[in-house]
Amino acid sequence: MAANGIADDSAKLQILKDALYDEIRQHGSETRLFGQQDLLDLNIIPRNDVTLLVRVIQALTDDKLLVGTTNHHAGLAWRWRSREEAKKYTSLPNDETVMVYSIIDEAGADGIWNRTIKNRLNMHEAVVKNCIKYLEQKGYIASMKNVEHPNKKMYIKATLRPSERATGGPWFTEGELDTAFISELESIVFEYIKTKSAYRGSQAQPGGAASSSGGAIKVPKKGAISSGEATPRGTKRAATDISTDDASPAPTLNTSRGGNAKSRAVFLPMPAGYNQYPTVAEIAKFIHDTGITNNTTLGEADIQQLVDVLTYDGLIEPVRVGRRRGYRVTRAMKQDTVPFHKRQKEREAGIGLDQPLVVGAEPLSNGLTEAPCGRCPVFELCEEGGPVSPSNCVYFLQWLDLEDVPAAVAPNVALPP
Amino acid sequence: MLVTKPVTELCALLIDELYGELPSRIFATLLSKGKSTLPQLALHTSMTPRQLRHGLAVLQQHNLLFYHLDAGAEFASYEANAEHAYNLVRIGKILEMIDSSFGAPAKDVMQNLLLSGQTRISDLVAAYQEKIEQANMAAALMGENGEVGSEANGVNGDSRPAKKAGPFVKSTAHLNSIICRLVEAELIDVVHPKTFESPADILKVVEKEVMDKYFPAGVKGNKAKVELQQRIAEGLRKVRGESKSLKRKLEQNGSAAKRRKLLAGLSGMTNGVHDDDMDPSLDPKQVIRINYEKCLVELRNRRLVQFATDMFSETTAYVYGVLLKLLTKDLPRCRPDPVMDIAEDEEENEKKGPGFVTTEQILDNLKTSVDLSLGIGKAEKRHISSSAAENIRQYPPEKKPKIEEAEVDGEASEDEDEDDEPSGEESDHDTDYKAPMMNGINGVNGTSGAKVKFDESAGPKEQRMDRPTQLRQHLLLLAESTQRFVRHCGPNEWTVDFPPLMNALREVELDSVIERTSGRQGLRLVRILRAKGKLDEKALPNVALMRKSELQQKMLEMQTAGFVDVQEVPRDVKADVKKSFFLWFCDVDRTLDRLLDTSYKTMVHCIQVLEALRQKEKDVLETTKRTDVRGREKDTMRKEYYERYSRFLECERRLFAQVARVDDLVSVLRDF
């Protein structure tokens, strides 16, 4: 009777278990927490029998199909776990392994440090090590790297991908900041903004026979912009053709770097009130359309981060026209008209290796940065009478071309008046 | 001007360079010991009173000294005028500026004035008289050729020895007219007894006078304090005004001065065109000197034009130069005096700031040879939001403008959907509405039709704008810039807010120093800190997109250079270093101060290097001092010697140029 009762009871319990589990799965995702009242309200347990419910839940928890948690608001609550996952638990050989696995499981996408596991379980290190080794062999967990703590050995469930916080977002590759990727992308974004926010015209080469006897300022010669009118570049291009767009009068290195040509291509600032300066959304779209980042998805926030960096670098500046917040290149006139990737190719071909390849115009300079003192490593120590003094300064001798005294005579020595 | 150790050294070196060792030593002693009397000086320098008097006389002549004689005191006390001593660095720049804006003859006069210090007009006239006679005699001997030759020399603007300068000033009347023009431009002012007293002494005297006259019973209450301040400011202004007496006298002569002003315009081309006899003859007993304050205003204009060239095109910068010239014509100094000028503003609120310039004024002063269509890109009209471009800012940045908000809002929605296919009508409406308003207000006759042409000609040639419109384009571009070169303060009225603009320039200078010393990443980090304030070390790599290790290294490097600083904030009482926050920040003012100090030191080093070179090439230099060699170095010296000599001259030139370049930075940081 008793045995029969128990068997009957356990069969009933099994039915209730399955019914409750299925019903719970219908009612929400794996992360949803179910309190006691929620479970009663599912109308599976007859007569809202709390003790029966407790037994059913106990059975489910034993099967690892329900996970109990304590919630600050609702008290004790449960969430369900899939049958495959539960099977993993039940297949584990001993309790220690189960405990280790459950802790890693709870950590979720952020992963957990092995020291934390040890401390939390208060187990011997060797035991934890064994468990982890077993779990890793089984392919249940995987080790991972967290960018915030690159030296900590972390573990994560093998089925999960590390969270953004752990990987550091799209800028990280295998826990390292991918500077090559960033700088490449920066140059592309900068190139895009440059061509979109400045007008490509041509300008007569100043200098040569231009005599400036009266005015202090050399004024460019008349009627220089003529080719520009035919091709209003920069304003009418679709975002996609930018990378293939350098077929048109790409000036040779010779002309753009101050050769003898009559006119050279320059970027000119747009008139005030220009409202087509590219916005972050447009840049993001452009990057998306070109498909440069095929295995990483870059959101607008990521592009914003990139654009901000360019702004901090002083290469671009934000402009607000009306409500549109666009970005434009700074010092448009001083920008290189040859696209950046072309310059890179030139470098590969061995041209222009003497100049450093950086995005944007050459930085401004002033008297201080030109003099040896402005960059002198021992500036603070330098004093007449000291071990380092202006009168025995080697940097100044270099700067004045006096280093190898007998050899070099300055080429254009001017006579004193 | 804060007189620090490098400044003292620099001033002494400069005076040594120009006026010799004796005045330099006295000056250095005065700077280090402060106000001293003759016996005190004798004590400190161990020189005889006779030597001291000689030195003091030289310093006095060049206005490098203040003296003060208390009533009944036996000895006058002397004080160094470090400001003027520093200005000696700028002599070259000032001369070049005068050359380009007033012509070579004016430069020659100025040069003589600089060489001889403060001078009585009659002495100057006498000196020139002699030169002119000599030149005439030479010309008579050599015939036409000589005349032509030296004229060409003048056009080149090369520096020449003074003896060749004869033909520049053709007659005493010409000289007179040049002086008149320079006086009117405030570049020359008058020496009066008070110019020899230090500002502190003047303040003391004025204060005493005011107290005796208005407040014999002492100052009580806030109201009286304010009044006292006003009275003092008034008294100081009166003293300051004294040096402008000559200018006032000239201006009373009305018509001639006015006409000349119109002619003077902005280039030296007009000289010689107007007749010199129109100018009133000056009192020959008047003593004149160079007014560095006004020179600085002119130099600032030039620096700003250069700044605009860096940011925009040369054409835009040229327009800007014209605007600045017009705007600062009556601006006596770069920075208003805190005591005198602030009180003045309260009195007459109208005269606040440098006033404004209208588009027409600028147009009238532009050279006709300048093509204004250059330097600005073209965009289709529908891509231009004219209401955003024409945005008028009536008040300087610190006072929040409230007027154009509504305008911006109304237009913004239009902007947003303009992204892809803006309908032509919408933006047409924009300009239609704007154009009549512009014309209605300032009434540029004849040009109004052209302005509307914008809309009519939809064809390919629509871009041919007329000159006023082109000019406006440049001005609007300047106004739109992030540096705020120009403020569009009313319809077709333009002004410049110098303080914020100069701050922007200072920041640019600082940035370029940082970029050149710490690279672009260094600049990035500093600018992040400037934008965000104090930032935790852990938060920085994320914003800067830099590797943590690189970033830390860069930050340390910049901390050593003084560009950034770190603050440690412990998390708890134990102040565990591992747990503490490290907040990076940058203090721009402090960095700028440091930069200024570095600049002074750099200048000192340059001059010291030159001195070392002189020592090294002593034998060569001594040869060139011989009378039979001087002037014919190339022929008389041995080849090897001559090469050494010319190399030395090249180095000297470079070093002086470098000092002048560093001074550009100093002016921006300190004076503009």
Side-chain angles (χ1 to χ4, degrees):
Chain A
M1 170 68 199
N4 192 17
I6 290 168
D8 184 41
D9 206 32
S10 72
K12 201 173 114 198
L13 204 62
Q14 188 61 42
I15 293 165
L16 278 176
K17 254 168 69 182
D18 290 345
L20 186 66
Y21 182 68
D22 291 339
E23 196 62 26
I24 289 174
R25 287 193 65 163
Q26 298 292 317
H27 273 82
S29 68
E30 261 175 298
T31 50
R32 170 159 183 192
L33 294 175
F34 294 88
Q36 180 186 318
Q37 198 55 46
D38 297 329
L39 296 175
L40 286 177
D41 289 349
L42 292 171
N43 284 332
I44 302 291
I45 308 298
R47 299 184 307 281
N48 282 354
D49 186 350
V50 178
T51 41
L52 186 60
L53 175 70
V54 170
R55 279 176 62 204
V56 173
I57 290 173
Q58 185 58 53
L60 278 170
T61 325
D62 288 346
D63 288 349
K64 308 291 176 194
L65 289 168
L66 276 190
V67 190
T69 46
T70 37
N71 184 309
H72 286 297
H73 308 292
L76 195 59
W78 296 267
R79 57 189 168 81
W80 61 270
R81 182 186 277 146
S82 69
R83 284 192 195 274
E84 303 91 76
E85 267 300 311
K87 213 170 172 185
K88 280 184 192 167
Y89 272 94
T90 45
S91 72
L92 293 175
N94 48 30
D95 281 351
E96 285 87 8
T97 329
V98 171
M99 278 152 80
V100 169
Y101 186 60
S102 72
I103 275 193
I104 294 174
D105 189 11
E106 269 165 38
D110 283 343
I112 192 161
W113 186 21
N114 59 355
R115 188 81 71 78
T116 322
I117 302 175
K118 198 194 96 193
N119 288 344
R120 198 147 339 137
L121 295 176
N122 218 359
M123 283 197 287
H124 196 271
E125 198 167 341
V127 181
V128 177
K129 230 178 200 167
N130 268 335
C131 295
I132 285 175
K133 204 174 162 194
Y134 177 81
L135 286 167
E136 246 184 325
Q137 266 174 358
K138 277 270 178 184
Y140 289 172
I141 61 167
S143 70
M144 63 168 273
K145 256 195 176 168
N146 188 324
V147 283
E148 284 168 25
H149 317 283
N151 299 325
K152 292 180 178 175
K153 192 146 188 156
M154 314 270 287
Y155 289 95
I156 189 174
K157 252 171 47 169
T159 46
L160 290 177
R161 283 183 61 184
S163 66
E164 286 261 299
R165 219 179 90 204
T167 58
W171 308 126
F172 286 81
T173 310
E174 285 156 12
E176 280 279 300
L177 190 73
D178 195 346
T179 41
F181 174 62
I182 292 171
S183 68
E184 191 71 13
L185 210 57
E186 259 175 20
S187 72
I188 290 165
V189 169
F190 176 70
E191 202 64 38
Y192 175 75
I193 294 175
K194 185 168 88 183
T195 42
K196 282 281 190 179
S197 68
Y199 180 84
R200 198 181 163 119
S202 58
Q203 191 186 36
Q205 197 79 284
S211 63
S212 61
S213 54
I217 304 136
K218 277 182 194 163
V219 178
K221 291 237 174 65
K222 251 186 148 169
I225 297 176
S226 49
S227 67
E229 278 172 30
T231 52
R233 295 174 55 116
T235 58
K236 288 216 78 177
R237 264 174 313 167
T240 40
D241 59 354
I242 184 160
S243 50
T244 58
D245 194 34
D246 30 287
S248 56
T252 60
L253 197 69
N254 189 23
T255 53
S256 67
R257 290 275 159 105
N260 292 329
K262 279 279 182 287
S263 72
R264 61 187 174 131
V266 285
F267 281 110
L268 295 172
M270 282 296 182
Y274 182 65
N275 59 16
Q276 297 293 304
Y277 292 122
T279 60
V280 170
E282 282 170 22
I283 299 163
K285 188 172 177 298
F286 161 74
I287 293 290
H288 181 78
D289 289 348
T290 49
I292 307 162
T293 58
N294 42 12
N295 46 10
T296 345
T297 43
L298 291 174
E300 250 178 63
D302 301 322
I303 298 293
Q304 178 75 59
Q305 215 180 345
L306 210 58
V307 167
D308 282 345
V309 165
L310 286 172
T311 315
Y312 290 130
D313 279 356
L315 298 171
I316 56 172
E317 57 188 11
V319 208
R320 242 188 83 132
V321 177
R323 233 177 233 173
R324 189 187 160 96
R325 197 180 150 86
Y327 289 86
R328 72 173 165 209
V329 64
T330 53
R331 301 199 288 143
M333 291 280 287
K334 309 287 183 296
Q335 298 296 340
D336 193 356
T337 44
V338 180
F340 187 68
H341 60 91
K342 255 202 137 185
R343 283 258 183 255
Q344 277 175 323
K345 273 191 200 132
E346 275 171 11
R347 270 176 96 79
E348 279 159 24
I351 310 170
L353 284 173
D354 47 332
Q355 280 138 344
L357 185 70
V358 281
V359 179
E362 202 189 334
L364 293 169
S365 68
N366 54 35
L368 200 58
T369 57
E370 286 158 10
C373 290
R375 287 162 297 166
C376 181
V378 287
F379 182 76
E380 298 294 326
L381 304 172
C382 186
E383 206 173 11
E384 278 303 340
V388 185
S389 69
S391 45
N392 65 16
C393 177
V394 283
Y395 301 106
F396 258 110
L397 289 187
Q398 268 174 24
W399 187 67
L400 290 169
D401 288 339
L402 290 177
E403 201 179 15
D404 36 355
V405 177
V409 178
N412 48 352
V413 177
L415 272 172
Chain B
M1 170 171 162
L2 198 64
V3 184
T4 51
K5 184 178 160 235
V7 178
T8 319
E9 243 173 283
L10 179 63
C11 291
L13 282 169
L14 283 171
I15 293 174
D16 185 30
E17 196 68 40
L18 285 165
Y19 305 119
E21 202 188 336
L22 177 64
S24 160
R25 274 177 62 185
I26 297 172
F27 194 81
T29 313
L30 278 176
L31 273 178
S32 58
K33 302 288 177 196
K35 217 171 191 178
S36 314
T37 58
L38 198 61
Q40 281 169 327
L41 272 178
L43 193 70
H44 294 312
T45 57
S46 25
M47 283 191 252
T48 60
R50 196 178 125 81
Q51 286 170 320
L52 281 173
R53 276 199 200 93
H54 274 297
L56 287 173
V58 172
L59 291 172
Q60 194 67 267
Q61 175 69 25
H62 292 282
N63 220 335
L64 300 169
L65 220 53
F66 295 122
Y67 69 81
H68 185 73
L69 188 60
D70 281 320
E74 198 179 345
F75 292 105
S77 54
Y78 298 96
E79 206 176 337
N81 185 350
E83 198 111 6
H84 275 193
Y86 180 82
N87 280 333
L88 294 175
V89 169
R90 299 187 172 132
I91 286 179
K93 255 177 266 179
I94 290 172
L95 288 178
E96 203 250 313
M97 178 266 294
I98 301 265
D99 189 26
S100 66
S101 49
F102 291 90
K107 180 195 158 192
D108 187 57
V109 174
M110 204 67 160
Q111 193 167 11
N112 279 320
L113 207 54
L114 279 166
L115 284 175
S116 49
Q118 39 214 5
T119 316
R120 201 173 289 148
I121 289 181
S122 59
D123 292 346
L124 201 61
V125 171
Y128 267 97
Q129 193 101 46
E130 203 173 309
K131 269 189 215 165
I132 292 163
E133 272 164 21
Q134 271 180 6
N136 284 346
M137 269 161 59
L141 283 174
M142 288 165 74
E144 283 295 297
N145 280 348
E147 187 80 27
V148 172
S150 45
E151 201 101 31
N153 191 6
V155 175
N156 283 338
D158 277 329
S159 50
R160 315 144 295 274
K163 59 172 183 176
K164 267 193 185 174
F168 282 126
V169 180
K170 290 181 189 68
S171 60
T172 43
H174 188 192
L175 174 68
N176 193 38
S177 117
I178 288 169
I179 296 176
C180 282
R181 276 177 55 203
L182 291 173
V183 166
E184 264 169 14
E186 285 185 37
L187 295 172
I188 289 180
D189 63 8
V190 179
V191 174
H192 56 92
K194 288 263 169 44
T195 38
F196 296 109
E197 298 208 11
S198 73
D201 286 333
I202 294 179
L203 181 67
K204 235 187 318 186
V205 171
V206 169
E207 230 165 26
K208 196 165 178 297
E209 269 173 23
V210 170
M211 288 301 281
D212 288 349
K213 202 167 167 192
Y214 300 100
F215 305 96
V219 185
K220 273 180 202 138
N222 279 336
K223 213 174 159 189
K225 268 185 198 159
V226 172
E227 202 194 330
L228 173 70
Q229 278 305 316
Q230 277 174 359
R231 297 257 186 229
I232 289 174
E234 207 177 301
L236 288 174
R237 276 204 298 279
K238 219 166 91 193
V239 172
R240 195 169 67 178
E242 258 176 67
S243 53
K244 302 284 172 290
S245 58
L246 194 57
K247 189 192 176 194
R248 245 174 282 130
K249 219 185 286 168
L250 282 173
E251 273 168 357
Q252 277 165 9
N253 280 334
S255 61
K258 263 207 178 112
R259 238 196 72 196
R260 192 174 39 248
K261 257 188 177 174
L262 278 176
L263 279 171
L266 54 127
S267 66
M269 299 199 313
T270 46
N271 71 60
V273 175
H274 69 280
D275 42 346
D276 305 328
D277 308 327
M278 297 281 287
D279 294 304
S281 61
L282 299 162
D283 178 8
K285 276 193 189 136
Q286 201 76 267
V287 181
I288 53 175
R289 63 162 183 174
I290 284 168
N291 179 11
Y292 286 107
E293 279 183 333
K294 181 68 181 180
C295 289
L296 274 179
V297 175
E298 298 283 326
L299 289 176
R300 177 172 72 176
N301 287 353
R302 291 167 78 85
R303 181 68 187 88
L304 283 174
V305 169
Q306 198 206 327
F307 186 29
T309 319
D310 282 338
M311 294 298 155
F312 302 105
S313 64
E314 279 153 354
T315 321
T316 312
Y318 170 71
V319 169
Y320 192 50
V322 173
L323 183 144
L324 282 174
K325 182 119 195 161
L326 292 169
L327 197 64
T328 56
K329 205 160 60 188
D330 294 320
L331 198 70
R333 57 191 59 73
C334 290
R335 291 185 179 179
D337 189 290
V339 183
M340 293 185 242
D341 294 306
I342 284 161
E344 190 176 26
D345 278 343
E346 275 168 20
E347 257 171 56
E348 30 192 326
N349 242 337
E350 286 295 298
K351 261 190 91 181
K352 196 159 191 159
F356 62 84
V357 179
T358 65
T359 317
E360 282 165 87
Q361 278 175 299
I362 301 171
L363 193 62
D364 287 345
N365 282 288
L366 286 180
K367 259 193 251 170
T368 46
S369 60
V370 177
D371 184 358
L372 289 180
S373 69
L374 300 179
I376 289 195
K378 298 184 185 71
E380 286 175 52
K381 189 170 58 62
R382 64 197 168 94
H383 289 159
I384 302 292
S385 151
S386 59
S387 58
E390 301 273 348
N391 203 350
I392 289 172
R393 289 161 202 278
Q394 210 171 348
Y395 301 103
E398 58 268 16
K399 290 184 184 173
K400 280 277 168 255
K402 288 166 191 150
I403 300 153
E404 70 275 13
E405 282 302 314
E407 205 182 337
V408 169
D409 281 357
E411 177 251 17
S413 57
E414 202 180 56
D415 261 348
E416 306 246 295
D417 53 16
E418 246 175 11
D419 265 1
D420 250 1
E421 296 276 336
S423 53
E425 288 80 23
E426 254 184 71
S427 34
D428 265 7
H429 156 79
D430 213 3
T431 26
D432 265 341
Y433 151 78
K434 203 74 197 179
M437 195 188 103
M438 276 157 26
N439 295 337
I441 287 175
N442 65 39
V444 189
N445 312 338
T447 59
S448 54
K451 262 179 194 157
V452 191
K453 199 173 76 181
F454 246 148
D455 309 356
E456 293 159 5
S457 54
K461 283 180 195 163
E462 66 172 329
Q463 301 290 356
R464 282 258 63 93
M465 290 178 281
D466 61 344
R467 205 169 161 81
T469 321
Q470 288 171 345
L471 174 61
R472 280 182 63 84
Q473 288 247 301
H474 285 286
L475 292 169
L476 288 173
L477 186 68
L478 285 164
E480 199 206 40
S481 62
T482 34
Q483 294 86 5
R484 299 269 169 247
F485 279 104
V486 162
R487 185 158 51 85
H488 194 189
C489 59
N492 274 329
E493 289 167 3
W494 312 89
T495 188
V496 180
D497 299 315
F498 285 109
L501 177 60
M502 293 323 294
N503 277 335
L505 179 56
R506 249 164 252 146
E507 217 157 80
V508 167
E509 292 278 17
L510 177 61
D511 282 355
S512 62
V513 170
I514 294 176
E515 191 165 1
R516 291 275 176 177
T517 49
S518 308
R520 184 166 283 166
Q521 293 194 321
L523 176 66
R524 179 192 302 175
L525 291 166
V526 170
R527 284 174 57 127
I528 287 172
L529 292 179
R530 219 181 278 158
K532 303 209 183 252
K534 285 185 181 173
L535 211 55
D536 186 11
E537 192 170 50
K538 294 200 181 76
L540 257 179
N542 253 339
V543 186
L545 286 181
M546 280 169 70
R547 286 219 179 99
K548 213 182 225 172
S549 52
E550 280 170 31
L551 183 130
Q552 272 164 349
Q553 203 182 345
K554 184 94 343 193
M555 287 314 260
L556 284 177
E557 186 190 314
M558 287 200 292
Q559 191 191 13
T560 333
F563 298 137
V564 290
D565 236 321
V566 72
Q567 180 186 10
E568 186 182 340
V569 181
R571 215 184 282 226
D572 47 26
V573 242
K574 275 186 274 175
D576 187 1
V577 181
K578 274 186 183 165
K579 280 184 186 165
S580 300
F581 294 104
F582 285 92
L583 301 177
W584 289 101
F585 63 98
C586 71
D587 184 340
V588 178
D589 290 336
R590 204 162 77 186
T591 324
L592 288 176
D593 282 347
R594 193 168 164 152
L595 202 58
L596 186 61
D597 207 52
T598 314
S599 310
Y600 289 140
K601 275 189 199 154
T602 306
M603 291 162 95
V604 170
H605 287 177
C606 282
I607 299 178
Q608 282 170 341
V609 167
L610 179 62
E611 201 48 52
L613 279 179
R614 280 207 186 115
Q615 284 297 322
K616 213 169 108 194
E617 308 284 330
K618 209 171 165 188
D619 49 340
V620 179
L621 291 180
E622 250 153 36
T623 332
T624 59
K625 277 186 194 138
R626 271 163 42 187
T627 43
D628 57 332
V629 176
R630 183 176 287 176
R632 294 178 295 151
E633 286 89 351
K634 194 166 186 179
D635 306 327
T636 46
M637 282 165 82
R638 258 191 303 160
K639 187 165 173 277
E640 180 196 338
Y641 261 50
Y642 181 70
E643 266 173 16
R644 276 172 67 188
Y645 178 56
S646 54
R647 200 163 60 223
F648 168 76
L649 287 177
E650 169 71 14
C651 290
E652 186 182 52
R653 246 183 28 175
R654 281 201 204 182
L655 286 167
F656 275 132
Q658 191 55 42
V659 171
R661 297 264 297 137
V662 178
D663 168 59
D664 279 342
L665 182 64
V666 171
S667 333
V668 169
L669 293 177
R670 195 190 65 191
D671 297 319
F672 290 168

